[in-house]
């Protein structure tokens, strides 16, 4: 043991900010992650994972700085590193048994008894190391692990047969995210194995964790109209009773919307029309990092909700974004610069974008259903989310009363509790009002005899102050009064 005498200093690595917690905007992100870096790579595919911290997310599905090939890296980074909010549900579809490729043998120089294999995605259990033509034994001749970049580091052991080697040959297998297709994201149900995959796994979130999805996202893959349509469908009747919303990317590749005037036609041909869908355009940049906007916007939704007592009554438009620019889907080479007038046109198509007014802000309140739908409940993203959240909360709150006797006490308790709740939120300014009534005509004797009871609830979430107008007029009388007062 060292003998210490004097004054010493020890520095620890900087910790990430402790995330705020909220579930109204619970993100369910479906996509691809570097599972070779996960704590259990072969049990990280098509399994629903809940993470409350960056460390938990990294252990569950793996994490690297490669945002381009692994879209779940974007969601994890945006959630925990950029906006510091938790939790997030992660569904990785990259299967190391299916989506992998061979890594040909190659020589690597040894320095300080270590060789770094600069190949992404290496599966640690498939690594083979040779000294010349002699195959080395792991644990006896070497040990292997990952560095901070996700590269395999082969460390030669003292006393091993290759302790003095200046080069080793390494081969193996790696995960290959390019093999993942839209069909993998969509997933389905295997009648033979009884297992679900991809977006089909959203059904398992509530049974596993007792939480209801708030936002479904799949950064990048959601620009595919088929994937987006399935995401919108999954927002409805989750577990047969719940609802939520999804954030989708509008295609901004060379074949998509490369100018703000292209947004309307690309949205229409993509079939983005659901009131439970919020399209976003284009991509965003954070320094040298490029993200699909849906990854950052989804994290923003979760953050704003969690900062607001976990009530989704606030609008996401005109909220600060931790980004430094906008770009197209070409590795970020093409910068997008929009003013408010251009951004407003994008909003008029039912698409959210971002503008730079003393820092970048999210911009837009309309769901994909606009302009075809003008019903405030379905047009405004905030209203739509409030209705979905309120309905989900009602189900969770009163599920305990299912199968109780239908009597006046039951009816009165539900109405009273909901009206107290509604008055409370109205007093807090989180809605204009919420009122529940029991109408006798809605509950004929036949329904009561068949065990059915119906209530009516009226909700009034606030609509956004999207257009604030101040009419300025010159008043000659003020000028005359001022001048006469000087005499």
């Amino acid at each position: 043991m060292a003998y210490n005498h004097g004054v010493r200093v020890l520095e620890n690595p900087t910790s990430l900010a402790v995330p705020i917690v909220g579930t109204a905007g619970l993100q369910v992100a479906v996509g691809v992650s570097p599972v070779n870096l996960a704590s259990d790579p072969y049990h990280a595919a098509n399994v629903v994972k809940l993470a409350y911290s960056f460390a938990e997310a990294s252990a569950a599905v793996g994490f690297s700085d490669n945002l381009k090939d692994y879209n779940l890296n974007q969601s994890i980074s945006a959630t925990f590193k950029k906006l510091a909010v938790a939790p997030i549900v992660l569904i990785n579809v990259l299967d190391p048994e299916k989506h992998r490729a061979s890594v040909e043998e190659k020589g690597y120089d040894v320095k300080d008894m270590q060789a770094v294999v600069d190949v992404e995605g290496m599966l640690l259990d498939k690594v083979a190391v040779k000294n010349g033509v002699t195959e080395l034994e792991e644990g006896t001749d070497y040990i292997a692990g990952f560095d901070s970049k996700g590269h395999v580091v082969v460390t030669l052991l003292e006393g091993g047969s290759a302790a003095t080697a200046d080069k080793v040959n390494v081969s193996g297998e790696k995960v290959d995210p390019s093999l993942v297709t839209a069909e993998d994201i969509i997933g389905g149900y295997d009648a033979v194995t009884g297992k679900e995959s991809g977006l089909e796994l959203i059904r398992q979130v509530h049974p596993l964790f007792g939480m209801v999805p708030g936002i479904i996202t799949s950064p990048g893959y959601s620009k595919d109209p088929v994937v987006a349509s399935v995401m919108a469908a999954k927002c409805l009747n989750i577990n047969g009773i719940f609802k939520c919303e999804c954030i989708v990317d509008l295609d901004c590749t060379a074949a998509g919307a490369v100018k703000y005037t292209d947004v309307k036609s690309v949205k229409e041909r993509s079939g983005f029309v659901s009131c439970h869908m919020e399209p976003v355009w284009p991509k965003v940049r954070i320094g040298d990092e490029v993200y699909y906007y849906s990854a950052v916007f989804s994290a923003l939704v979760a953050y704003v909700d969690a900062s607001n007592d976990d009530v989704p009554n606030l609008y996401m438009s005109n909220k600060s974004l931790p980004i430094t620019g906008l770009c197209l889907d070409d590795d970020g080479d093409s910068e997008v610069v929009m003013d408010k007038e251009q951004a407003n046109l994008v909003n008029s198509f039912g698409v959210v974008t971002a503008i730079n007014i003393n820092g970048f802000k999210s911009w837009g309140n309309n769901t994909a259903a606009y302009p075809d739908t003008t019903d405030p409940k379905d047009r405004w993203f905030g209203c739509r989310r409030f209705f979905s959240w309120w309905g989900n909360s009602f189900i969770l709150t009163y599920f305990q009363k299912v199968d109780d006797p239908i009597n006046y006490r039951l009816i009165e308790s539900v109405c009273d509790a909901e009206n107290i709740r509604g008055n409370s939120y109205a007093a807090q300014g989180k809605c204009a009002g919420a009122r529940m009534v029991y109408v006798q005509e809605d509950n004929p004797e036949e329904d009561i005899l068949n065990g059915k009871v119906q209530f009516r609830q009226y909700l009034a979430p606030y609509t956004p102050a999207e257009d604030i107008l101040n009419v300025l007029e010159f008043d000659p009388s003020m000028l005359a009064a001022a001048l006469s007062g000087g005499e």
Side-chain angles (χ1 to χ4, degrees):
M1 183 176 179
Y3 179 84
N4 299 317
H5 184 182
V7 180
R8 299 187 301 145
V9 170
L10 178 65
E11 293 189 7
N12 283 332
T14 302
S15 300
L16 292 173
V18 178
I20 58 175
V21 177
T23 58
L26 178 66
Q27 299 176 78
V28 180
V30 183
V32 179
S33 198
V35 291
N36 63 303
L37 302 176
S39 59
D40 190 354
Y42 294 98
H43 293 89
N46 291 305
V47 179
V48 183
K49 304 281 189 175
L50 177 67
Y52 278 90
S53 68
F54 176 77
E56 286 184 3
S58 300
V61 296
F63 179 85
S64 73
D65 292 330
N66 184 348
L67 303 178
K68 179 182 178 181
D69 296 325
Y70 300 102
N71 70 329
L72 288 188
N73 284 345
Q74 298 183 29
S75 291
I76 293 171
S77 177
T79 298
F80 294 112
K81 290 188 172 184
K82 309 305 180 185
L83 285 157
V85 62
I88 185 173
V89 175
L90 301 164
I91 300 174
N92 162 72
V93 303
L94 189 151
D95 187 346
E97 297 282 11
K98 174 183 176 184
H99 307 112
R100 70 184 188 189
S102 298
V103 177
E104 294 184 359
E105 185 175 308
K106 181 182 175 181
Y108 295 90
D109 293 330
V110 175
K111 184 178 181 180
D112 298 329
M113 299 188 72
Q114 287 189 329
V116 179
V117 183
D118 55 351
V119 177
E120 273 196 87
M122 290 285 287
L123 289 162
L124 211 55
D125 66 316
K126 302 298 181 182
V127 170
V129 183
K130 292 182 180 179
N131 181 16
V133 295
T134 304
E135 189 162 342
L136 302 182
E137 184 177 346
E138 185 180 10
T140 301
D141 300 314
Y142 74 94
I143 56 174
F146 293 108
D147 63 12
S148 60
K149 296 181 180 179
H151 295 156
V152 171
V153 178
V154 176
T155 302
L156 301 179
L157 299 177
E158 292 282 0
S161 62
T164 60
D166 56 7
K167 178 174 284 192
V168 292
N169 296 327
V170 180
S171 61
E173 295 185 4
K174 65 176 183 178
V175 294
D176 189 348
S178 68
L179 299 178
V180 176
T181 65
E183 286 72 25
D184 293 312
I185 300 295
I186 294 169
Y189 174 76
D190 190 324
V192 176
T193 63
K195 293 184 177 180
E196 296 162 314
S197 61
L199 290 166
E200 201 67 29
L201 287 163
I202 292 170
R203 181 196 67 78
Q204 296 185 13
V205 174
H206 182 256
L208 287 173
F209 309 119
M211 301 177 187
V212 179
I215 295 293
I216 299 172
T217 182
S218 183
Y221 289 98
S222 59
K223 68 187 177 186
D224 184 312
V226 179
V227 173
S229 66
V230 175
M231 290 172 63
K234 292 302 176 185
C235 291
L236 306 175
N237 295 319
I238 301 170
N239 305 119
I241 47 178
F242 301 117
K243 293 179 181 178
C244 72
E245 279 63 52
C246 63
I247 312 297
V248 299
D249 294 289
L250 193 73
D251 185 8
C252 59
T253 62
V258 297
K259 306 186 299 294
Y260 73 98
T261 51
D262 299 330
V263 168
K264 181 177 184 293
S265 61
V266 174
K267 181 201 170 192
E268 289 173 349
R269 75 167 183 249
S270 298
F272 292 174
V273 296
S274 171
C275 65
H276 291 273
M277 176 188 290
E278 186 71 285
V280 294
W281 179 89
K283 295 180 75 172
V284 299
R285 186 197 305 279
I286 305 176
D288 294 330
E289 299 176 337
V290 176
Y291 292 71
Y292 281 101
Y293 192 4
S294 65
V296 177
F297 192 82
S298 297
L300 176 68
V301 171
Y303 176 81
V304 171
D305 286 355
S307 304
N308 187 50
D309 302 323
D310 214 18
V311 179
N313 69 291
L314 297 180
Y315 287 83
M316 299 304 115
S317 185
N318 203 22
K319 298 295 187 293
S320 294
L321 290 170
I323 65 174
T324 58
L326 306 176
C327 57
L328 299 178
D329 196 355
D330 55 1
D331 295 333
D333 293 335
S334 300
E335 187 175 9
V336 175
V337 180
M338 282 190 300
D339 59 23
K340 189 174 73 68
E341 186 175 14
Q342 294 171 335
N344 286 352
L345 184 63
V346 172
N347 291 167
S348 73
F349 303 142
V351 176
V352 167
T353 186
I355 56 174
N356 187 1
I357 299 182
N358 297 320
F360 278 93
K361 308 288 195 302
S362 53
W363 199 249
N365 290 302
N366 294 314
T367 68
Y370 186 80
D372 287 344
T373 296
T374 56
D375 182 340
K377 175 179 68 71
D378 294 328
R379 171 197 174 174
W380 302 117
F381 186 57
C383 287
R384 179 61 266 164
R385 293 192 63 237
F386 191 86
F387 266 76
S388 295
W389 168 78
W390 194 286
N392 294 341
S393 300
F394 179 84
I395 293 167
L396 293 171
T397 301
Y398 298 102
F399 197 84
Q400 60 183 320
K401 293 188 177 295
V402 172
D403 297 327
D404 281 1
I406 299 179
N407 54 28
Y408 184 74
R409 180 175 295 177
L410 171 69
I411 295 168
E412 186 178 53
S413 66
V414 173
C415 287
D416 287 350
E418 281 299 282
N419 286 327
I420 291 171
R421 178 189 180 208
N423 291 337
S424 173
Y425 281 126
Q428 297 173 53
K430 289 182 165 53
C431 65
R435 177 172 60 91
M436 172 171 278
V437 295
Y438 175 84
V439 180
Q440 190 69 47
E441 290 74 15
D442 293 338
N443 294 274
E445 183 178 333
E446 182 181 355
D447 283 355
I448 298 298
L449 292 175
N450 283 310
K452 299 178 181 179
V453 60
Q454 178 178 317
F455 298 92
R456 289 191 189 186
Q457 193 162 31
Y458 301 90
L459 302 179
Y462 287 109
T463 55
E466 196 175 67
D467 183 17
I468 300 174
L469 176 64
N470 180 19
V471 179
L472 302 178
E473 182 178 339
F474 188 91
D475 189 340
S477 64
M478 289 183 183
L479 180 61
L483 294 175
S484 63
E487 294 180 354

